[in-house]
Amino acid sequence: MDTSQSQIQHYKNEFSAFEKNGASKSPAWVHDIRKAAIEIFEKEGFPTKKNEAWRFTNITPILHSQFRYSSAPSVPKVEKKSIEQLLLKETAQHLLVFVNGHFSKELSAVGKLPDGVLLTNLAEAVVSHQKIARRYLGKIAKTEQSVFSALNTAFTYDGLFVYVPRGVQIAEPIHALYLSSGAGEQVYVSAIRNLVIAEEESSLMIMENFLSLEENKNFTNAVTEIEAKKKSRVELVKVQHESAASFHYENVHVHQEETSNVALFSLAAGSALARNDMQVIIDGEAAECNLNGLYIVTGTQVVDHHTLMHHIHPNCPSHELFKGILDQDSRAIFNGRVYVEPEAQKTDSKQTNRNLLLSDNATVNTKPELEIFADDVKCTHGAAVGGLNDQMVFYLKSRGIGEETAKGMLVVGFAAEVTGKISNEKFRQYVDAVVIDYLQTKLGMKDLPEIVHS
Amino acid sequence: MSDSEKSVEELVSKEYKYGFTTDIEMDQIPPGLTEDVIRTISHKKGEPEWMTEWRLRAYRAWLTMEEPHWWPNFKYPPIDYQAISYYAAPKAAKKVESLDQVDPKILETYEKLGISLNEQKRMQGVAVDAVFDSVSVATTFKETLREKGIIFCSMSEAIREHPELVQKYLGSVVPYSDNFFAALNSAVFSDGSFCFIPKGVRCPMELSTYFRINASNTGQFERTLIVAEESAYVSYLEGCTAPQRDENQLHAAVVEILALDNAEVKYSTVQNWYSGDKDGIGGIYNFVTKRGKCAGVKAKISWTQVETGAAITWKYPSVILQGDESIGEFYSVAVANNKQIADTGTKMHHIGKNTRSTIVSKGISAGQGNNTYRGLVSIAKDAKNSRNYTQCDSMLIGNACSANTFPYIVVKNTSSSVEHEASTSKIGEDQIFYCKQRGINTENAISMIVNGFAKEVFKNLPMEFAVEAQKLLGVSLEGSVG
Amino acid sequence: MIEIKNLHAGIAGKEILKGIDLKVNAGEIHAIMGPNGSGKSTLAQVLAGHPSYEVTGGSVIYDGKDLLEMEAEERSQAGVFLAFQYPVEIPGVSNSYFLKAGLNEIRKANGQEPLDSMQFLKLLREKMKLVEMADSFIYRPVNEGFSGGEKKRNEILQMAVLEPKLAILDETDSGLDIDALKIVAGGVNKLKSSDNAFIVVTHYQRLLNYIVPDFVHVLVNGKIVKSGGKELALELEAEGYDQIKEDAKVTA
């Protein structure tokens, strides 16, 4: 039996144990979803490099560890104080904390919310808000598209659940903190499943914050489903700074109705191997989507983004900017796909991927794709890879700035363009702080200027 | 006003005018492919043993390969390789010593195609190798070139007369095991052109090969090899047409170019194979492997192509930039009208230091055509200070066509930079109205706008080719706007 | 030369022109003035035959022919010229090539021999002097990379070359500084003759200091609400459109 086969068996065993343990309390329809997913997982197996979507990303390291799904009682204790140190207070008005994929009521604190808003964890929601949960769970994500999504679905149990009723605006952002922690030799996988529903004319902002408590090895396998109804506004900011030994996978699925506005931002800084799949189905006229991201990697880190902007209807703008900073022996993969159906006339789509290489040993594979079937569209994409611009470094040096500082300024400026796309100021400050911290501690850059936005 | 612009006004003929067949007695072997068939081809061509062996090795490699159906966005029916005849030659074509001995019907065919093989009538400065189905029927200006030490002849002749060169270079850029169609070509290739430009020689005229498929149920598998030694220069043109037939025919060519230190090779193609009718019946499957290698410092290889014909085109002329400071260029205009599929692009492999590459691709989709740019730019770790600039623009005419862009970019060092820009837009209603307001009708307006769109590429073509290309562009878009 | 009767037209189902009546004779200059959104540009576009606009009623007789039945290029070939408010860019096509193609089509339609390159170039150079354009414009792509003023001058150059019978200038003055304005107006005045006519669409009176109209019409909400001599333009300049708008409401 090869590694891949034995791993499939391993996860099947885990699945049996999982269904018997804590997860057994879930309603029957959730069991059905899980069962269908484990079958897909078993049939598909883990992807190899022959699979175009995984051509540049070798997942073998994930298969070399026996990750376990922790049942609720085995979740390690985390001190509330240690969490407060990790966060900006301003971003934690509504805080939901998950440890190794399980909701922690003690660590969470939800402030006052407008009437009708449901903000809780998924394990609770499938029981208490069964009607809504059942209507959307697994309906926005296409499980069969990715074997990791199938695996996540098979272990669907807990995660963030938000429902915003029609016309309701949530002023304060929601912060979902996903902590990973090891326990001696044992390594854990977290199957985080988030479900966000914004009804007509509602609005909300969410931060997904993925953190490791130690330099432990863990595997986060998350799926987030977002339903944005007519005229709703959703902003999701993801920050992933897990340990350098961890593996991270998240598949974000967005379904947009007409005139809705969705903005996604992703910062990928941690993990030995991190992959973000982001699929946006713009399924209504005059809906807008902004998809932005920044990745900063060093050492032997591998970071991979696969995005899809699927235009189905006329008059929809979409903008996408992903930037990457790579040091040492790291590698980044970017595959951005813009798909414009025949009916999606007057689509205005722009996609850009820019990469800054700080080391000759770093590698970038970028593949921006356009597939256009409508004739009256304006679609552009661009990709660029290169080192720091010598001319710019020279210009700064000629003004008396030392080389190190000059480089730092240029790197910070490079990052600031994309973090500046985050519209929520508190989130932006937090992301900027994480970026600066990462550049200093992991990339060893000194004398970095503060990030300012115009 | 330039002459190339004038040609747009000459846009009168609107049909595939090269769809006729030449009625001539052919020596055609029965369909099917076996080791014996390969031996027969090799024997008919009077090849030495090493060549026969090379073909057989390629054939055996081919047997182990699978027919590629790479791209998920379109399918083509499986090709029955046993139903193709792998050798067809005009009977009288053997051992032609001078043009007088070429069958007048063939000369007439080329006259009809606008290619005169008569040296006196021929435009000054272009030498032609005419390939009719499987064999080269005539090569002009051979003597003039020979005085300079330039060898320009059919591949068959090169194998006989210059075996040491052929043995040294054949397969050195595209090995027979490269891919399915290259392996097939290596096994069965019938003819093609061979050019050798010795050290320090600038070829005084354009060299050109004109490929013509005439017989039915045949494939065309030509093989072209161009070698430019140190500081040599050559500009090479390739044209192709085929009769109008209802069945699909396979064209699987291989072109290899080798450029040594300071050498420059410019390779231009105007591809106008029969594309099938409006409903997609018939047409040529154009599955071609073209690759150049800048083996020496400051070598330069430039591909320019205008792809208007063929039912399906898969073609990615590539450059291996091995020598330091070598340069690769790719300029392309591809049209997909009616039910045509054009999947084309390039690969630029930067290996040497300070290497440069430029890619300009203009795709035009009309009718139900599907036009795809697919390319790779890779910069190796040691290819310091290398640069690539890529620009891919697509224009859509009508609402049933599509345009795709799939660029792969791999960069492995910090001192290099790669830039890729792409855009897709429709032909502007406002542009057409503006032209009409100035008295120009819709058809001419479109032709004018499209030629303007493709101009950056046309300017890289030798003059008479540019004129031809502009005419073709208008013809191939005929009826694309209702 | 042209007679417009009860012309109704609109775009995407929205009516913009609500019954225009206008008669222009050879040798006359008519100015159409009006506030933003009154339908001035729509009128210009409809006369030139822009496909986006739909004529829903009325008639336009030009030189004894039904103008509305003619294709855009047929109108051009019959001598109707529109100087665009926003001239269109055509990348890769040189100005001279574009203009020569148009001129020869027009000549062909009128039974004249086409000009060859030399003849055309000679004509073009002459006309370029008229609008003080540099030689380099001949070879630059149509309007691409031109400044606003250059684009407008290019429109007048095209008019000079094509020698239309009826020229419609759609806000040719917008975005022009005073020097460019003088050059453009000078070009128009030199082209003016007893055989041709001009319809000058403008928001401001400024241009009319240099191109003196025989008649001024005020367009409000898709209708001509007032007509008069050149002094009407000065009146409007002094009082603004508000009073006329008010009056229009009362009469409506």
Side-chain angles (χ1 to χ4, degrees), chain B residues 19-40:
Chain B
F20 62 90
T21 51
T22 305
D23 185 16
I24 191 166
E25 215 185 330
M26 297 295 284
D27 171 14
Q28 185 168 346
I29 62 171
L33 186 55
T34 60
E35 292 207 2
D36 282 344
V37 168
I38 289 162
R39 282 183 219 279
T40 306

PDB file of all heavy atoms in Angstrom, chain B residues 19-40:
ATOM      1  N   GLY B  19      -8.369  26.276 -52.737  1.00  0.00           N
ATOM      2  CA  GLY B  19      -9.032  24.998 -52.493  1.00  0.00           C
ATOM      3  C   GLY B  19      -9.052  24.026 -53.658  1.00  0.00           C
ATOM      4  O   GLY B  19      -9.620  22.957 -53.564  1.00  0.00           O
ATOM      5  N   PHE B  20      -8.410  24.371 -54.770  1.00  0.00           N
ATOM      6  CA  PHE B  20      -8.434  23.489 -55.942  1.00  0.00           C
ATOM      7  C   PHE B  20      -7.487  22.292 -55.747  1.00  0.00           C
ATOM      8  O   PHE B  20      -6.630  22.303 -54.876  1.00  0.00           O
ATOM      9  CB  PHE B  20      -8.019  24.275 -57.194  1.00  0.00           C
ATOM     10  CG  PHE B  20      -6.629  24.816 -57.108  1.00  0.00           C
ATOM     11  CD1 PHE B  20      -5.555  24.055 -57.552  1.00  0.00           C
ATOM     12  CD2 PHE B  20      -6.381  26.087 -56.576  1.00  0.00           C
ATOM     13  CE1 PHE B  20      -4.260  24.556 -57.471  1.00  0.00           C
ATOM     14  CE2 PHE B  20      -5.088  26.582 -56.494  1.00  0.00           C
ATOM     15  CZ  PHE B  20      -4.028  25.825 -56.939  1.00  0.00           C
ATOM     16  N   THR B  21      -7.680  21.263 -56.575  1.00  0.00           N
ATOM     17  CA  THR B  21      -6.740  20.147 -56.538  1.00  0.00           C
ATOM     18  C   THR B  21      -6.029  20.051 -57.884  1.00  0.00           C
ATOM     19  O   THR B  21      -6.533  20.504 -58.903  1.00  0.00           O
ATOM     20  CB  THR B  21      -7.448  18.795 -56.291  1.00  0.00           C
ATOM     21  OG1 THR B  21      -8.519  18.689 -57.222  1.00  0.00           O
ATOM     22  CG2 THR B  21      -7.986  18.695 -54.892  1.00  0.00           C
ATOM     23  N   THR B  22      -4.843  19.462 -57.863  1.00  0.00           N
ATOM     24  CA  THR B  22      -4.089  19.294 -59.096  1.00  0.00           C
ATOM     25  C   THR B  22      -4.226  17.835 -59.510  1.00  0.00           C
ATOM     26  O   THR B  22      -3.976  16.927 -58.715  1.00  0.00           O
ATOM     27  CB  THR B  22      -2.606  19.635 -58.868  1.00  0.00           C
ATOM     28  OG1 THR B  22      -2.533  20.940 -58.322  1.00  0.00           O
ATOM     29  CG2 THR B  22      -1.826  19.566 -60.170  1.00  0.00           C
ATOM     30  N   ASP B  23      -4.652  17.626 -60.746  1.00  0.00           N
ATOM     31  CA  ASP B  23      -4.859  16.268 -61.218  1.00  0.00           C
ATOM     32  C   ASP B  23      -3.558  15.759 -61.804  1.00  0.00           C
ATOM     33  O   ASP B  23      -3.150  16.126 -62.898  1.00  0.00           O
ATOM     34  CB  ASP B  23      -5.974  16.285 -62.272  1.00  0.00           C
ATOM     35  CG  ASP B  23      -6.324  14.884 -62.715  1.00  0.00           C
ATOM     36  OD1 ASP B  23      -5.936  13.931 -62.002  1.00  0.00           O
ATOM     37  OD2 ASP B  23      -6.971  14.757 -63.770  1.00  0.00           O
ATOM     38  N   ILE B  24      -2.885  14.935 -61.060  1.00  0.00           N
ATOM     39  CA  ILE B  24      -1.571  14.497 -61.488  1.00  0.00           C
ATOM     40  C   ILE B  24      -1.357  13.068 -61.039  1.00  0.00           C
ATOM     41  O   ILE B  24      -1.900  12.648 -60.010  1.00  0.00           O
ATOM     42  CB  ILE B  24      -0.492  15.458 -60.918  1.00  0.00           C
ATOM     43  CG1 ILE B  24       0.862  15.180 -61.561  1.00  0.00           C
ATOM     44  CG2 ILE B  24      -0.403  15.353 -59.413  1.00  0.00           C
ATOM     45  CD1 ILE B  24       1.852  16.296 -61.282  1.00  0.00           C
ATOM     46  N   GLU B  25      -0.593  12.324 -61.789  1.00  0.00           N
ATOM     47  CA  GLU B  25      -0.372  10.930 -61.418  1.00  0.00           C
ATOM     48  C   GLU B  25       0.533  10.856 -60.201  1.00  0.00           C
ATOM     49  O   GLU B  25       1.615  11.431 -60.168  1.00  0.00           O
ATOM     50  CB  GLU B  25       0.269  10.191 -62.591  1.00  0.00           C
ATOM     51  CG  GLU B  25      -0.208   8.760 -62.681  1.00  0.00           C
ATOM     52  CD  GLU B  25       0.542   8.019 -63.771  1.00  0.00           C
ATOM     53  OE1 GLU B  25       0.959   8.655 -64.771  1.00  0.00           O
ATOM     54  OE2 GLU B  25       0.741   6.803 -63.613  1.00  0.00           O
ATOM     55  N   MET B  26       0.065  10.137 -59.181  1.00  0.00           N
ATOM     56  CA  MET B  26       0.806  10.124 -57.934  1.00  0.00           C
ATOM     57  C   MET B  26       1.358   8.739 -57.635  1.00  0.00           C
ATOM     58  O   MET B  26       0.764   7.717 -57.976  1.00  0.00           O
ATOM     59  CB  MET B  26      -0.110  10.516 -56.770  1.00  0.00           C
ATOM     60  CG  MET B  26      -0.678  11.919 -56.835  1.00  0.00           C
ATOM     61  SD  MET B  26       0.577  13.189 -56.707  1.00  0.00           S
ATOM     62  CE  MET B  26       0.939  13.121 -54.953  1.00  0.00           C
ATOM     63  N   ASP B  27       2.487   8.752 -56.946  1.00  0.00           N
ATOM     64  CA  ASP B  27       3.013   7.525 -56.392  1.00  0.00           C
ATOM     65  C   ASP B  27       2.659   7.576 -54.913  1.00  0.00           C
ATOM     66  O   ASP B  27       3.284   8.298 -54.137  1.00  0.00           O
ATOM     67  CB  ASP B  27       4.538   7.490 -56.585  1.00  0.00           C
ATOM     68  CG  ASP B  27       5.183   6.327 -55.844  1.00  0.00           C
ATOM     69  OD1 ASP B  27       4.457   5.413 -55.405  1.00  0.00           O
ATOM     70  OD2 ASP B  27       6.426   6.346 -55.722  1.00  0.00           O
ATOM     71  N   GLN B  28       1.599   6.874 -54.546  1.00  0.00           N
ATOM     72  CA  GLN B  28       1.109   6.977 -53.174  1.00  0.00           C
ATOM     73  C   GLN B  28       1.072   5.588 -52.577  1.00  0.00           C
ATOM     74  O   GLN B  28       0.537   4.668 -53.178  1.00  0.00           O
ATOM     75  CB  GLN B  28      -0.297   7.605 -53.194  1.00  0.00           C
ATOM     76  CG  GLN B  28      -0.854   7.865 -51.807  1.00  0.00           C
ATOM     77  CD  GLN B  28      -2.101   8.758 -51.864  1.00  0.00           C
ATOM     78  OE1 GLN B  28      -2.401   9.384 -52.883  1.00  0.00           O
ATOM     79  NE2 GLN B  28      -2.817   8.823 -50.778  1.00  0.00           N
ATOM     80  N   ILE B  29       1.633   5.426 -51.394  1.00  0.00           N
ATOM     81  CA  ILE B  29       1.619   4.088 -50.798  1.00  0.00           C
ATOM     82  C   ILE B  29       0.298   3.887 -50.063  1.00  0.00           C
ATOM     83  O   ILE B  29      -0.333   4.857 -49.649  1.00  0.00           O
ATOM     84  CB  ILE B  29       2.839   3.836 -49.861  1.00  0.00           C
ATOM     85  CG1 ILE B  29       2.834   4.806 -48.675  1.00  0.00           C
ATOM     86  CG2 ILE B  29       4.133   3.900 -50.646  1.00  0.00           C
ATOM     87  CD1 ILE B  29       3.867   4.463 -47.631  1.00  0.00           C
ATOM     88  N   PRO B  30      -0.128   2.619 -49.899  1.00  0.00           N
ATOM     89  CA  PRO B  30      -1.421   2.375 -49.255  1.00  0.00           C
ATOM     90  C   PRO B  30      -1.408   2.884 -47.807  1.00  0.00           C
ATOM     91  O   PRO B  30      -0.337   2.973 -47.195  1.00  0.00           O
ATOM     92  CB  PRO B  30      -1.569   0.844 -49.281  1.00  0.00           C
ATOM     93  CG  PRO B  30      -0.518   0.346 -50.178  1.00  0.00           C
ATOM     94  CD  PRO B  30       0.558   1.379 -50.253  1.00  0.00           C
ATOM     95  N   PRO B  31      -2.592   3.194 -47.279  1.00  0.00           N
ATOM     96  CA  PRO B  31      -2.666   3.690 -45.911  1.00  0.00           C
ATOM     97  C   PRO B  31      -2.125   2.659 -44.918  1.00  0.00           C
ATOM     98  O   PRO B  31      -2.120   1.472 -45.206  1.00  0.00           O
ATOM     99  CB  PRO B  31      -4.172   3.892 -45.674  1.00  0.00           C
ATOM    100  CG  PRO B  31      -4.781   3.935 -47.020  1.00  0.00           C
ATOM    101  CD  PRO B  31      -3.910   3.128 -47.919  1.00  0.00           C
ATOM    102  N   GLY B  32      -1.728   3.132 -43.778  1.00  0.00           N
ATOM    103  CA  GLY B  32      -1.268   2.240 -42.732  1.00  0.00           C
ATOM    104  C   GLY B  32       0.137   2.587 -42.283  1.00  0.00           C
ATOM    105  O   GLY B  32       0.892   3.226 -43.015  1.00  0.00           O
ATOM    106  N   LEU B  33       0.471   2.184 -41.059  1.00  0.00           N
ATOM    107  CA  LEU B  33       1.793   2.492 -40.526  1.00  0.00           C
ATOM    108  C   LEU B  33       2.357   1.285 -39.791  1.00  0.00           C
ATOM    109  O   LEU B  33       1.783   0.800 -38.812  1.00  0.00           O
ATOM    110  CB  LEU B  33       1.708   3.703 -39.580  1.00  0.00           C
ATOM    111  CG  LEU B  33       3.037   4.237 -39.056  1.00  0.00           C
ATOM    112  CD1 LEU B  33       3.988   4.563 -40.189  1.00  0.00           C
ATOM    113  CD2 LEU B  33       2.809   5.455 -38.182  1.00  0.00           C
ATOM    114  N   THR B  34       3.465   0.776 -40.315  1.00  0.00           N
ATOM    115  CA  THR B  34       4.181  -0.340 -39.685  1.00  0.00           C
ATOM    116  C   THR B  34       5.662  -0.066 -39.896  1.00  0.00           C
ATOM    117  O   THR B  34       6.030   0.870 -40.606  1.00  0.00           O
ATOM    118  CB  THR B  34       3.860  -1.690 -40.378  1.00  0.00           C
ATOM    119  OG1 THR B  34       4.269  -1.564 -41.749  1.00  0.00           O
ATOM    120  CG2 THR B  34       2.386  -2.032 -40.302  1.00  0.00           C
ATOM    121  N   GLU B  35       6.514  -0.896 -39.314  1.00  0.00           N
ATOM    122  CA  GLU B  35       7.950  -0.746 -39.541  1.00  0.00           C
ATOM    123  C   GLU B  35       8.264  -0.908 -41.031  1.00  0.00           C
ATOM    124  O   GLU B  35       9.133  -0.228 -41.568  1.00  0.00           O
ATOM    125  CB  GLU B  35       8.745  -1.753 -38.706  1.00  0.00           C
ATOM    126  CG  GLU B  35       8.664  -1.458 -37.214  1.00  0.00           C
ATOM    127  CD  GLU B  35       9.879  -1.951 -36.434  1.00  0.00           C
ATOM    128  OE1 GLU B  35      10.814  -2.503 -37.050  1.00  0.00           O
ATOM    129  OE2 GLU B  35       9.891  -1.758 -35.197  1.00  0.00           O
ATOM    130  N   ASP B  36       7.512  -1.786 -41.691  1.00  0.00           N
ATOM    131  CA  ASP B  36       7.737  -1.986 -43.120  1.00  0.00           C
ATOM    132  C   ASP B  36       7.430  -0.731 -43.921  1.00  0.00           C
ATOM    133  O   ASP B  36       8.124  -0.406 -44.874  1.00  0.00           O
ATOM    134  CB  ASP B  36       6.890  -3.158 -43.640  1.00  0.00           C
ATOM    135  CG  ASP B  36       7.520  -4.495 -43.263  1.00  0.00           C
ATOM    136  OD1 ASP B  36       8.726  -4.476 -42.885  1.00  0.00           O
ATOM    137  OD2 ASP B  36       6.819  -5.520 -43.329  1.00  0.00           O
ATOM    138  N   VAL B  37       6.363  -0.048 -43.519  1.00  0.00           N
ATOM    139  CA  VAL B  37       6.005   1.189 -44.216  1.00  0.00           C
ATOM    140  C   VAL B  37       7.145   2.193 -44.082  1.00  0.00           C
ATOM    141  O   VAL B  37       7.541   2.858 -45.047  1.00  0.00           O
ATOM    142  CB  VAL B  37       4.682   1.774 -43.657  1.00  0.00           C
ATOM    143  CG1 VAL B  37       4.461   3.199 -44.158  1.00  0.00           C
ATOM    144  CG2 VAL B  37       3.504   0.889 -44.046  1.00  0.00           C
ATOM    145  N   ILE B  38       7.707   2.263 -42.897  1.00  0.00           N
ATOM    146  CA  ILE B  38       8.802   3.212 -42.672  1.00  0.00           C
ATOM    147  C   ILE B  38      10.024   2.834 -43.512  1.00  0.00           C
ATOM    148  O   ILE B  38      10.656   3.672 -44.144  1.00  0.00           O
ATOM    149  CB  ILE B  38       9.134   3.290 -41.168  1.00  0.00           C
ATOM    150  CG1 ILE B  38       7.979   4.025 -40.487  1.00  0.00           C
ATOM    151  CG2 ILE B  38      10.449   4.010 -40.923  1.00  0.00           C
ATOM    152  CD1 ILE B  38       7.907   3.850 -39.018  1.00  0.00           C
ATOM    153  N   ARG B  39      10.306   1.536 -43.553  1.00  0.00           N
ATOM    154  CA  ARG B  39      11.412   1.075 -44.405  1.00  0.00           C
ATOM    155  C   ARG B  39      11.140   1.423 -45.869  1.00  0.00           C
ATOM    156  O   ARG B  39      12.039   1.822 -46.603  1.00  0.00           O
ATOM    157  CB  ARG B  39      11.596  -0.440 -44.271  1.00  0.00           C
ATOM    158  CG  ARG B  39      12.332  -0.840 -42.994  1.00  0.00           C
ATOM    159  CD  ARG B  39      12.536  -2.353 -42.958  1.00  0.00           C
ATOM    160  NE  ARG B  39      12.359  -2.874 -41.616  1.00  0.00           N
ATOM    161  CZ  ARG B  39      13.310  -2.826 -40.690  1.00  0.00           C
ATOM    162  NH1 ARG B  39      14.488  -2.322 -40.975  1.00  0.00           N
ATOM    163  NH2 ARG B  39      13.084  -3.298 -39.481  1.00  0.00           N
ATOM    164  N   THR B  40       9.878   1.265 -46.270  1.00  0.00           N
ATOM    165  CA  THR B  40       9.513   1.583 -47.658  1.00  0.00           C
ATOM    166  C   THR B  40       9.765   3.067 -47.961  1.00  0.00           C
ATOM    167  O   THR B  40      10.366   3.418 -48.974  1.00  0.00           O
ATOM    168  CB  THR B  40       8.018   1.262 -47.905  1.00  0.00           C
ATOM    169  OG1 THR B  40       7.789  -0.078 -47.527  1.00  0.00           O
ATOM    170  CG2 THR B  40       7.646   1.464 -49.362  1.00  0.00           C
TER     171      THR B  40
END
